[in-house]
C-alpha cells in the first residue's frame, strides 16, 4: 500500500481572494514523479509506493542464504538486512560487505524485491556476509541526512562486532564498503571519514552518480529514454539537495572546489564499476583515473552495452552474472 507524509510547504495560491470571497480548497497535484514510486504533490505531500513483487520462485530466495532484519537506528526507525550463505561451520570467516541500495536518494529500500535478490546473489556467490542498510530519503530528509545515516550504520556495525553480540559477524572479518548508484555515493563519503573502531579492507562502487556543473560527453549523449537521463538526474538533484546547492557541491562532486581531498584518504583497495551507456559513465571513469593518479589501488571495470544501475534493474541478467564474477575476483584478492 502507498504511504504518505507531508512536508512543511505552503500550498500554492488558487483563485481570487479579493473582497473577502471564500474560495474552494486547492486540489493537490503531482509536481514531481520519480518512476511512479515516489510522488511529490503541490501541497507537500509525499506519496511512496513499493514495486510489485517478483513472480513466485524468481527471487532467488530458495534457502541457500539465510537472512534476518534488525534496526540500527531506533530514532529514525532505520533497518538493516543481514544475509549469510549456508556454508556450514566456516560462515563466520567470510568477508563482510556493507552495502547501500540506490534510488537517487529519493526512493528504495533493502526490502524491495530486486534489491533483495541482488543481495541474496552477493551473499551466495561471492560468498560473503552482506549487510544491506536503509537510510533516510529525500525530499523529507535532504542530504546530508543519508550520509549521516551511513556513518551511523558503520558505527553500529563496529559496536556489534566488538561486543561479539552477533554470531554472524566475526571479530576479525574483512570489511568492505559497497553500494550501487546513490548507495555508492554513500560508500565514497564513508571513505572520507575516520573510523577508529573498524578497519576498511576495500570499497566497491557500482556506478556512483557523481555530478559537476560542467556537463560531460556521456551526459550530453544519453537520451531522455534512458533509465537515468539528464532530465531524471536533475529531478533527483532538486529533491535530494539542500536549497541553493549546485552540482559542484561536495555531496555530489568528489572533485569540486570545496570537496575534501582524497589524497590522504585511506581508501584501501577499490573497485569502480561503470556502465557504457550510463549518463555518469565519464564521471565514474574520471573518479577511478584520478584516484589511480594519486597512487591508490583502484580497479576500473566498464560494462559494455549496460545502463545505469543494471544490477538493480536486471539482477539475473548475463551482465549481472559477469559483475558478480568481477566482484568475487576483487574480494578473493584480499588474501
Amino acid at each position: 500500500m502507498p504511504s504518505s507524509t507531508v512536508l512543511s510547504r505552503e500550498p500554492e495560491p488558487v483563485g481570487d481572494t479579493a473582497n473577502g470571497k471564500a474560495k474552494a480548497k486547492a486540489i493537490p497535484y503531482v509536481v514531481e514523479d520519480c518512476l511512479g514510486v515516489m510522488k511529490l504533490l503541490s501541497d507537500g505531500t509525499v506519496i511512496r509506493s513499493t514495486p510489485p513483487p517478483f513472480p513466485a520462485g524468481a527471487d532467488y530466495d530458495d534457502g541457500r542464504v539465510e537472512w534476518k532484519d534488525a534496526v540500527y537506528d531506533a530514532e529514525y526507525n532505520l533497518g538493516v538486512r543481514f544475509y549469510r550463505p549456508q556454508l556450514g561451520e566456516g560462515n563466520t570467516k567470510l568477508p563482510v560487505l556493507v552495502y547501500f541500495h540506490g534510488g537517487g536518494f529519493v526512493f528504495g529500500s533493502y526490502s524491495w524485491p530486486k534489491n533483495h535478490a541482488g543481495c541474496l546473489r552477493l551473499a551466495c556467490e561471492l560468498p560473503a556476509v552482506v549487510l544491506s542498510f536503509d537510510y533516510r530519503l529525500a525530499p523529507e530528509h535532504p542530504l546530508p541526512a543519508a550520509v549521516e545515516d551511513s556513518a551511523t550504520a558503520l558505527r553500529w556495525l563496529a559496536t556489534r562486532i566488538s561486543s561479539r553480540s552477533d554470531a554472524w559477524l566475526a571479530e576479525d572479518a574483512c570489511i568492505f564498503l559497497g553500494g550501487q548508484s546513490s548507495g555508492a555515493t554513500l560508500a565514497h563519503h564513508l571513505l572520507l571519514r575516520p573510523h577508529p573502531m573498524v578497519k576498511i579492507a576495500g570499497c566497491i562502487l557500482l556506478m556512483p552518480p557523481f555530478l559537476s556543473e560542467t556537463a560531460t560527453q556521456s551526459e550530453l549523449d544519453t537520451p531522455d529514454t534512458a533509465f537515468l537521463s539528464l532530465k531524471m538526474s536533475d529531478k533527483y538533484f532538486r529533491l535530494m539537495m539542500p536549497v541553493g546547492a549546485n552540482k559542484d557541491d561536495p555531496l555530489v562532486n568528489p572533485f569540486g572546489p570545496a570537496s575534501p581531498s582524497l589524497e590522504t584518504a585511506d581508501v584501501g583497495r577499490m573497485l569502480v564499476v561503470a556502465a557504457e551507456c550510463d549518463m555518469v559513465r565519464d564521471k565514474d571513469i574520471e573518479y577511478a583515473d584520478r584516484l589511480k593518479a594519486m597512487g591508490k589501488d583502484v580497479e576500473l571495470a566498464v560494462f559494455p552495452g549496460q545502463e545505469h544501475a543494471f544490477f538493480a534493474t536486471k539482477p539475473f541478467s548475463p551482465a549481472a552474472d559477469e559483475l558478480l564474477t568481477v566482484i568475487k575476483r576483487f574480494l578473493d584478492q584480499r588474501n
Side-chain angles (χ1 to χ4, degrees), residues 15 109 135 140 163 187 193 225 239 266:
S109 169
Y135 46 87
E140 303 97 317
S163 65
R193 297 181 175 217
T225 54
L239 292 165
D266 183 9

Side-chain angles (χ1 to χ4, degrees), residues 83-124:
Y83 299 84
R84 182 176 70 170
Q86 297 274 23
L87 294 179
E89 294 299 321
N91 275 358
T92 56
K93 296 300 181 182
L94 294 172
V96 173
L97 175 60
V98 174
Y99 187 82
F100 300 99
H101 64 79
F105 291 112
V106 300
F107 59 78
S109 169
Y110 63 69
S111 64
W112 282 25
K114 290 185 178 181
N115 291 335
H116 180 59
C119 286
L120 287 166
R121 292 201 68 182
L122 287 166
C124 183

Side-chain angles (χ1 to χ4, degrees), residues 31-167:
V31 293
E32 299 283 13
D33 186 343
C34 296
L35 303 179
V37 293
M38 195 289 289
K39 296 179 181 180
L40 174 63
L41 305 187
S42 55
D43 66 351
T45 299
V46 177
I47 299 175
R48 298 186 177 279
S49 303
T50 56
F54 274 170
D59 65 355
Y60 208 72
D61 204 350
D62 57 5
R64 286 180 286 177
V65 174
E66 301 176 86
W67 58 272
K68 63 181 181 180
D69 294 340
V71 173
Y72 75 90
D73 188 326
E75 179 180 0
Y76 296 111
N77 193 30
L78 296 174
V80 54
R81 181 163 289 178
F82 290 69
Y83 299 84
R84 182 176 70 170
Q86 297 274 23
L87 294 179
E89 294 299 321
N91 275 358
T92 56
K93 296 300 181 182
L94 294 172
V96 173
L97 175 60
V98 174
Y99 187 82
F100 300 99
H101 64 79
F105 291 112
V106 300
F107 59 78
S109 169
Y110 63 69
S111 64
W112 282 25
K114 290 185 178 181
N115 291 335
H116 180 59
C119 286
L120 287 166
R121 292 201 68 182
L122 287 166
C124 183
E125 298 176 44
L126 294 181
V129 175
V130 178
L131 278 71
S132 182
F133 288 91
D134 273 354
Y135 46 87
R136 284 175 289 170
L137 300 173
E140 303 97 317
H141 304 284
L143 291 175
V147 176
E148 297 303 326
D149 294 339
S150 67
T152 299
L154 197 57
R155 288 193 298 270
W156 178 88
L157 173 61
T159 300
R160 195 98 169 180
I161 291 174
S162 64
S163 65
R164 302 183 182 180
S165 58
D166 197 306

